[in-house]
Amino acid sequence: MKNIAVIGAGTMGNGIAHTFAQSGFKVQLIDISETSLKKGLETITKNLDRMVIKEKISEADKTKTLSNITAFTDISEGIASADLVVEAATENVDLKLNIFRQLDDTCSKDTILATNTSSISITQIAAVTSRPDKVIGMHFMNPVPIMKLVEIIRGYNTSDDVTKRIMDMSKTLGKIPVEVNDYPGFVANRILMPMINESIETLYNGVAGVNEIDTVMKLGMAHPMGPLQLADFIGLDVCLSILHVMYDGFKNPKYAPCPLLVNMVRAGKLGVKSGEGFYDYSESRKAEKIASQFLK
């Protein structure tokens, strides 16, 4: 597999495109929005510039990586020669199902179709295609160029051959793939999201403040980032979406999202990307200033 199509130029999509391109693959980066494509390519360039400054790569490596990426706004054109498609669109089940129907109709019968979903059933996505044996989950972690883990999620019908090929390919990217089965939240978010939700409940119930909760988890549990800061970084809307998927999948009240999280998303307080969540990012993307509503 040499030609990789990545659908979605947002945070995850441009990170995935960057990672494949830096490893020598030809990448077709696809987004229906020219603005999103431009922003995604700018992000890749900035991240490569940082790597050059830190002497992790050379200027020639940067140039080669960028030359490996071609941008498309037409999905049919972008996926025409793809050996592997990695979908990294918004975490919306209807959107993903529609994309996979189109991929199945347009791609070569040998093309492997992967999704970067963080919680949606691979089996459900595969079921709308005529190739469920060639549909698999590749859940990269953010920021993709830096984080080593890739959750490789087998759908009910994903073949052993496809799983092995994707596991091996992930290793060529310098990643550490971990194979997991297809249940809501997989492993990473099944464990992480209840912790984040419980942290929000702890704040909601007045047990401790934002900084205190994050400090306890950083100093006491050796977490590099507190759970409330991490929620802001992930996006509170994304956290809410994943919790809904898990609650719907298990019907277990322990996955029900905290009312505070629900209200913050309704109010547009989504974390770093909106400028405010549990912290105020109006002056810095670092979690240094507590959002005004949580100040004592």
Side-chain angles (χ1 to χ4, degrees):
M1 292 186 283
K2 294 295 183 183
N3 295 313
I4 313 298
V6 178
I7 298 178
T11 300
M12 297 304 295
N14 71 61
I16 294 167
H18 171 161
T19 301
F20 273 105
Q22 192 174 328
S23 297
F25 293 88
K26 294 296 182 183
V27 178
Q28 293 82 51
L29 181 59
I30 306 162
D31 200 296
I32 58 173
S33 166
E34 287 193 16
T35 300
S36 294
L37 275 174
K38 182 180 178 182
K39 185 176 179 181
L41 291 169
E42 287 173 351
T43 298
I44 293 170
T45 302
K46 288 177 183 176
N47 288 336
L48 288 168
D49 284 337
R50 290 192 189 97
M51 296 177 78
V52 171
I53 291 170
K54 294 178 180 178
E55 299 183 345
K56 292 185 176 181
I57 62 171
S58 66
E59 191 68 37
D61 293 330
K62 170 193 164 183
T63 301
K64 179 62 176 175
T65 297
L66 291 173
S67 72
N68 282 337
I69 303 173
T70 307
F72 293 88
T73 54
D74 185 300
I75 187 170
S76 297
E77 185 180 357
I79 64 178
S81 62
D83 302 307
L84 167 69
V85 179
V86 182
E87 172 273 318
T90 303
E91 193 76 347
N92 176 288
V93 64
D94 292 330
L95 173 63
K96 290 184 185 293
L97 295 181
N98 285 334
I99 288 173
F100 272 79
R101 288 188 187 98
Q102 184 174 358
L103 293 176
D104 189 48
D105 288 341
T106 308
C107 290
S108 161
K109 62 181 178 63
D110 296 320
T111 302
I112 295 173
L113 307 181
T115 174
N116 182 59
T117 181
S118 56
S119 60
I120 297 170
S121 168
I122 308 304
T123 303
Q124 181 182 8
I125 292 172
V128 301
T129 76
S130 62
R131 64 184 86 193
D133 58 314
K134 294 183 176 68
V135 178
I136 196 165
M138 292 184 78
H139 181 207
F140 291 86
M141 304 294 127
N142 185 29
V144 180
I146 296 172
M147 299 293 279
K148 290 291 186 183
L149 174 66
V150 184
E151 271 190 308
I152 306 299
I153 306 106
R154 294 184 65 142
Y156 191 83
N157 292 302
T158 307
S159 71
D160 291 340
D161 175 64
V162 165
T163 302
K164 183 179 185 304
R165 291 172 70 187
I166 295 302
M167 293 282 285
D168 290 345
M169 170 178 269
S170 298
K171 293 173 185 176
T172 69
L173 300 176
K175 303 301 184 184
I176 299 174
V178 177
E179 181 182 338
V180 305
N181 290 319
D182 185 24
Y183 291 95
F186 315 133
V187 171
N189 282 319
R190 183 168 179 171
I191 295 170
L192 174 63
M193 287 302 152
M195 184 192 75
I196 286 176
N197 197 44
E198 192 62 31
S199 301
I200 299 171
E201 286 277 4
T202 302
L203 175 66
Y204 179 59
N205 292 330
V207 178
V210 171
N211 184 62
E212 289 76 12
I213 292 168
D214 277 354
T215 298
V216 165
M217 296 304 291
K218 286 189 288 186
L219 299 185
M221 313 304 165
H223 291 191
M225 184 183 294
L228 299 177
Q229 181 188 358
L230 180 56
D232 276 354
F233 183 74
I234 294 168
L236 301 190
D237 54 337
V238 175
C239 293
L240 181 60
S241 175
I242 295 169
L243 284 165
H244 279 315
V245 168
M246 293 169 65
Y247 182 67
D248 290 343
F250 292 115
K251 299 297 189 291
N252 188 323
K254 75 177 181 179
Y255 299 114
C258 176
L260 174 59
L261 173 62
V262 174
N263 275 343
M264 289 178 72
V265 172
R266 285 174 177 166
K269 308 297 185 182
L270 309 181
V272 176
K273 62 186 171 186
S274 71
E276 184 179 335
F278 295 104
Y279 294 85
D280 183 336
Y281 303 95
S282 58
E283 298 175 0
S284 170
R285 288 175 62 87
K286 296 180 180 179
E288 299 173 330
K289 183 179 179 183
I290 307 296
S292 58
Q293 77 178 91
F294 300 117
L295 292 174
K296 295 179 179 178

